[in-house]
Each structure stands twice: as structure tokens, then as C-alpha cells.
């Protein structure tokens, strides 16, 4: 019995050596060693258990096989692992979809341009105003040539401006309306509709926008003038100089160009009127009022105040007496006059319910002085339409909380800016054409009378034709402010706009 047990042990040891180095053999060897060291089962049971768990192989084959032990644990475990696969290559991302662009744009609006989300952003009105201004700057830039917009840029402009203008569809007001009840009686209820100013001005601005783009598209097929490559030698060196034939443009092209100029001119006047009206309706911020001087004389200075309050006043003579040699000085003059107008208006409103006794300046005189100041502002506006915004306009836009006003102001301002740029490029071509034909250079320039629809003084013209070389006598201030239509324009047309000074 003992010999049989020893033979069985020797047989199991031989088996253990044959399967050494294999994963299953190692596991079985551990099991056999445990059983060999002792256990409750009998030797015959241990033998049958090990034979059942081991693979069935021929003993002759087992003796011929010479197993090669692995050199390391990693090589020992390698047969049980699947072969490593390369990580998938990153897929190239295409352009962002319209939905992604819309999400990004409106996320910036909701955050008030504060991407940290800390609540330090600007108001919704200012965020929308900045978004429209920045969109126009990226789409139009500076229109250097009379040529159509790129198709992709034009499509992006129309798509994204519609996104921003869609906010106006949800700005409503309550209006009374009649509804018929089930019993046949009529009752009055309140319904919502789009705010009146938005309902009128947003479609009008869209129409003006389309007219400007159509005007640029009209220059696609023209071939009588072209632009030199490279910068020009004039003061605006970054704008290419147009070139025309040696004898100038043909009569047909000249008339067609004048028609385009008249169309853009109408767009410019309409955009200016809408923009000025919106700015007039905006409230003057308290921060601007607190920084005002104590009176109009302190704002204007003694010389300008004396000129404006004199019994005889001529706005052209006044503008000739001040320094308008640089853009900075023009803006500074406009800031001083606007401050004076605000001071005088506040004093007149404060005295509506008080007696005027003891006032140094009567109400009638103060109104005349205010009309004179607004006349100067109007002339500055149209004589220098491209100068930056004044402090009053910037302050109104910055502190405005009316989202509807912010959209109308920014949209009309960028249309006004683009129309003025296109008008300037047309004037450049007409000026070169006039020089080529040997004509007067000034005939191609847009005059102040074109903007303001003033008619020339025929009486003075007849007097000059009769040989009267003397200067006409000065006109009383009470007689030059008699046109009611002109006064209405003064009430609505005030302030200069320019997207370049929004920030």
C-alpha cells in the first residue's frame, strides 16, 4: 500500500514537470501540491480529481515535448491578453453649425459679455448694442471699393442680424381690443402686440439695409472705372484711388452713378433721422448731469457765449470764428454746446412751475439761445458726419436700459455709417471723373443744402446779380428762426454717430 502511494506521488511529480511553464499547468500544480501535502480526501480521489481537471494528452507525446519556461511574468501572462489596438484617430471637426453659433452668440448676451459668469457683465441692452456693432464691423469693415460683398459674408450678415433682431419680436405692449363673448356681447380686453416704435422702425431699417446691399451689387458689372493696386498718395492712403478713362466717364455711366448716389443719400438721411430720434428718446444719465458745469457760460467760455447770445447771430460766421482744424477740436466744440443745451433745458423745465421773476435771462431769450445752439449742432452733424460720437451720445448708450432703443440705435447707426462710406466712395469716383473732364472739383461734393433741404436765398442772389457788392445786413435772430419745419428737424436731429467710438 505504501509502495503504491509512493508510485502515485512519483507519477504526479512527473506530470507536474511536464506542465510547468503553462498557465493552466501552474494552477493545476498548485492544486496538486496542496492535495499532496495532505487532505481529507483519499489518494484515489485526488488522482481522479487531477486527471479530470487536466487536458487529455497522450503520454508518449508528453515525454517528447520539452516545455520552454517563460523568461518573465509579463511574457507568462501575454498569451491570455488580446493584442493591443491603436487608439482611434481623432475625427476632423467641420465648421460649427448654425445652432452652435446661435448658442454661443446668445450665451454671450445672457452673460453680459462676462464669460466668467461672475455677474459682472454689462446690461442686456448694451450687450445687444455691442453685438450688432461688432457684427457690422466684421461683415463690412471699411468699404474701400464700390463692389458687391462676398457671398458668404453677405449670407452671414443677413443670418446673424436676423438672430439679433429676433429679440424685438418679444418686446410687446398692452393695447385695448374688442372681443365678442359667447352670448354675443362685446367686451374690451387687453392684448399684446409688438411695441409701436419697433413695429415701425425695424422693418424700415431692414428695407434700408437691403437697399444698401442692392446698391453695392449694382457695381458688379460696371467696367468704366477701376482701382489701382496698392495704397494711394492722398491723405487717406489706405483707400485705393479710382481710375477713369482719360476723357472721363460716359454720359450714361455718369447719370447712372448720380442715380446711385441719390439712392444712397436717401438711405443716409432716413437712417440719420431714426438714429437721432432714438437718441433723443433716451434718458440722460445722472452721471452725465452730475458732471455738468453750473451754467452755459462756464461750458462755452466767454467768447462763444457772447457770440451765441448776441442780438445778431449767423451760424456760419460763428463756425468760422472757432477752430475746426482737427477731429478732436470738432468733437470738443460739440461736447461744449451739448452741455450748454442740456443745462438750459433743465433750467427751463425747472422754472415751468416757478415764477420767472429775478431770472437774469428771460424764458423767450433762453429759448432763442437754445435754438441757436441746436442750429450749430445740426450744421456740425451734416458738415462732419464721420466724426466720433459726443460724450452725451456715448453716455446715453452706455447707461441705457431699454433693449428696444439699444437695438434701434445700433442698427440705424451702422446703416448710417455704411451709407456714408458708400456715398464717400461714389464721391471719390465722381471727383476723379470731374478732374479728367477738366471740370470743377467741388461739383461732385455733397453740400449742406443737399442734406438739409434748404432752398437758396433768391433775394440775395438777385441783389448780387444787380451789381450790389455790399455785404447783406445782419439778420435779427428773431427773424431767421421762422421755419417751423426746420425747428421740428432741430428737435429730432441732434447728435453725431459713429461706430468707431462705441467703446
Amino acid at each position: 500500500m505504501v509502495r503504491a502511494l509512493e508510485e502515485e506521488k512519483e507519477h504526479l511529480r512527473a506530470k507536474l514537470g511536464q506542465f510547468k511553464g503553462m498557465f493552466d499547468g501552474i494552477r493545476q500544480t498548485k492544486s496538486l501540491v496542496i492535495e499532496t501535502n495532505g487532505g481529507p480526501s483519499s489518494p484515489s480521489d485526488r488522482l481522479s480529481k487531477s486527471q479530470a481537471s487536466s487536458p487529455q494528452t497522450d503520454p508518449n507525446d508528453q515525454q517528447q515535448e520539452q516545455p520552454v519556461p517563460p523568461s518573465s511574468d509579463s511574457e507568462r501572462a501575454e498569451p491570455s491578453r488580446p493584442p493591443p489596438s491603436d487608439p482611434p484617430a481623432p475625427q476632423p471637426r467641420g465648421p460649427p453649425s448654425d445652432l452652435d453659433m446661435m448658442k454661443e452668440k446668445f450665451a454671450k448676451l445672457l452673460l453680459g459679455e462676462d464669460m466668467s459668469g461672475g455677474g459682472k457683465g454689462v446690461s442686456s441692452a448694451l450687450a445687444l448694442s455691442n453685438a450688432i456693432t461688432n457684427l457690422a464691423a466684421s461683415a463690412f469693415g471699411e468699404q474701400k471699393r464700390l463692389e458687391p460683398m462676398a457671398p458668404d459674408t453677405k449670407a452671414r450678415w443677413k443670418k446673424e442680424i436676423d438672430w439679433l433682431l429676433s429679440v424685438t419680436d418679444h418686446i410687446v405692449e398692452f393695447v385695448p381690443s374688442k372681443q365678442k363673448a359667447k352670448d354675443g356681447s362685446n367686451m374690451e380686453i387687453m392684448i399684446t402686440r409688438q411695441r409701436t416704435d419697433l413695429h415701425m422702425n425695424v422693418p424700415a431699417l431692414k428695407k434700408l439695409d437691403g437697399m444698401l446691399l442692392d446698391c453695392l451689387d449694382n457695381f458688379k458689372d460696371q467696367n468704366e472705372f477701376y482701382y489701382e493696386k496698392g495704397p494711394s498718395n492722398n491723405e487717406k492712403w489706405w483707400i485705393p484711388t479710382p481710375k477713369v478713362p482719360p476723357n472721363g466717364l460716359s454720359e450714361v455711366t455718369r447719370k447712372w452713378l448720380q442715380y446711385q448716389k441719390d439712392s444712397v443719400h436717401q438711405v443716409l438721411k432716413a437712417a440719420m433721422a431714426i438714429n437721432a430720434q432714438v437718441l433723443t428718446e433716451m434718458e440722460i444719465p445722472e452721471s452725465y448731469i452730475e458732471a455738468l458745469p453750473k451754467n452755459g457760460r462756464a461750458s462755452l467760455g466767454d467768447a462763444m457765449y457772447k457770440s451765441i447770445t448776441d442780438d445778431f447771430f449767423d451760424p456760419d460766421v460763428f463756425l468760422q470764428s472757432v477752430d475746426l482744424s482737427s477731429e478732436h477740436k470738432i468733437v470738443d466744440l460739440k461736447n461744449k454746446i451739448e452741455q450748454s443745451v442740456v443745462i438750459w433745458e433743465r433750467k427751463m423745465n425747472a422754472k415751468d412751475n416757478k415764477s420767472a421773476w429775478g431770472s437774469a435771462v428771460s424764458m423767450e431769450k433762453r429759448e432763442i439761445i437754445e435754438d441757436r445752439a441746436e442750429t450749430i449742432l445740426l450744421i456740425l452733424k451734416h458738415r462732419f458726419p464721420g466724426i466720433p460720437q459726443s460724450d452725451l451720445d456715448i453716455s446715453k448708450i452706455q447707461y441705457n436700459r431699454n433693449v428696444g432703443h439699444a437695438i434701434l440705435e445700433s442698427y440705424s447707426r451702422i446703416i448710417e455709417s455704411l451709407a456714408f462710406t458708400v456715398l464717400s466712395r461714389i464721391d471719390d469716383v465722381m471727383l476723379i471723373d470731374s478732374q479728367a473732364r477738366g471740370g470743377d472739383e467741388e461739383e461732385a461734393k455733397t453740400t449742406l443744402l443737399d442734406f438739409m433741404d434748404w432752398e437758396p436765398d433768391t433775394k440775395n442772389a438777385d441783389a448780387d446779380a444787380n451789381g450790389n457788392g455790399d455785404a447783406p445786413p445782419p439778420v435779427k435772430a428773431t427773424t431767421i428762426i421762422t421755419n417751423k419745419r426746420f425747428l421740428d428737424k432741430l428737435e429730432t436731429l441732434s447728435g453725431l454717430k459713429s461706430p468707431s467710438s462705441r467703446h
Side-chain angles (χ1 to χ4, degrees), residues 127-364:
L128 267 171
S129 178
N130 292 339
I132 295 176
T133 303
N134 296 335
L135 174 61
S138 63
F140 300 112
E142 183 173 2
Q143 194 73 24
K144 299 179 181 179
R145 302 168 184 260
L146 292 174
E147 59 186 8
M149 292 178 62
D152 55 342
T153 305
K154 184 177 181 180
R156 181 172 66 89
W157 161 254
K158 289 185 175 181
K159 175 178 62 180
E160 296 191 16
I161 194 64
D162 284 341
W163 291 349
L164 297 175
L165 294 178
S166 64
V167 179
T168 61
D169 297 335
H170 305 277
I171 302 177
V172 297
E173 60 184 358
F174 284 100
V175 293
S177 178
K178 291 185 179 181
Q179 185 177 11
K180 198 168 187 178
K182 294 182 179 180
D183 57 358
S185 61
N186 293 327
M187 59 181 180
E188 190 173 275
I189 61 174
M190 300 297 290
I191 62 174
T192 59
R193 71 176 182 188
Q194 190 179 25
R195 213 170 70 186
T196 304
D197 57 340
L198 300 176
H199 180 72
M200 295 176 59
N201 291 325
V202 171
L205 291 173
K206 285 185 176 181
K207 181 66 175 177
L208 298 177
D209 185 4
M211 291 174 63
L212 278 180
L213 298 182
D214 292 341
C215 178
L216 291 176
D217 291 339
N218 292 336
F219 289 94
K220 178 180 180 180
D221 299 327
Q222 75 80 26
N223 52 12
E224 286 202 29
F225 65 89
Y226 61 95
Y227 291 90
E228 283 186 336
K229 295 183 178 180
S232 59
N233 296 325
N234 55 19
E235 57 181 10
K236 295 183 180 180
W237 54 268
W238 63 93
I239 299 177
T241 303
K243 292 295 182 180
V244 299
N247 296 327
L249 301 173
S250 63
E251 188 66 24
V252 175
T253 302
R254 196 177 298 116
K255 290 182 178 180
W256 175 82
L257 200 61
Q258 182 63 42
Y259 174 77
Q260 300 298 325
K261 178 180 178 181
D262 294 340
S263 300
V264 177
H265 187 201
Q266 295 300 321
V267 173
L268 177 62
K269 290 200 298 184
M272 289 172 68
I274 295 175
N275 187 272
Q277 180 64 34
V278 174
L279 281 174
T280 304
E281 294 175 358
M282 287 184 180
E283 296 182 359
I284 301 176
E286 290 296 330
S287 59
Y288 181 85
I289 296 176
E290 293 174 357
L292 289 175
K294 60 180 181 179
N295 52 46
R297 181 189 291 271
S299 175
L300 291 173
D302 293 336
M304 284 192 292
Y305 182 80
K306 183 178 180 181
S307 178
I308 291 179
T309 58
D310 195 13
D311 290 339
F312 300 99
F313 173 73
D314 187 350
D316 290 330
V317 174
F318 173 83
L319 292 176
Q320 291 175 3
S321 64
V322 297
D323 187 4
L324 302 176
S325 58
S326 66
E327 185 179 90
H328 173 73
K329 293 178 179 178
I330 297 172
V331 176
D332 184 62
L333 174 63
K334 186 174 184 296
N335 288 332
K336 291 179 179 179
I337 296 178
E338 284 185 342
Q339 288 177 357
S340 302
V341 171
V342 173
I343 293 172
W344 294 329
E345 286 180 348
R346 287 176 56 82
K347 287 186 176 181
M348 285 191 295
N349 294 334
K351 292 182 179 181
D352 283 343
N353 298 326
K354 298 180 181 179
S355 173
W357 292 103
S359 176
V361 182
S362 63
M363 293 290 291
E364 293 78 8

Side-chain angles (χ1 to χ4, degrees), residues 427-473:
D427 282 340
D428 293 341
V429 176
M430 298 181 72
L431 179 61
I432 298 298
D433 173 62
S434 177
Q435 293 174 352
R437 292 185 294 109
D440 186 7
E441 296 183 4
E442 295 299 326
E443 68 181 8
K445 295 294 183 180
T446 304
T447 64
L448 182 63
L449 298 180
D450 295 333
F451 279 107
M452 303 178 68
D453 294 334
W454 284 354
E455 296 182 359
D457 191 351
T458 56
K459 294 182 180 180
N460 293 336
D462 294 340
D464 294 338
N466 293 332
N468 185 7
D470 298 336

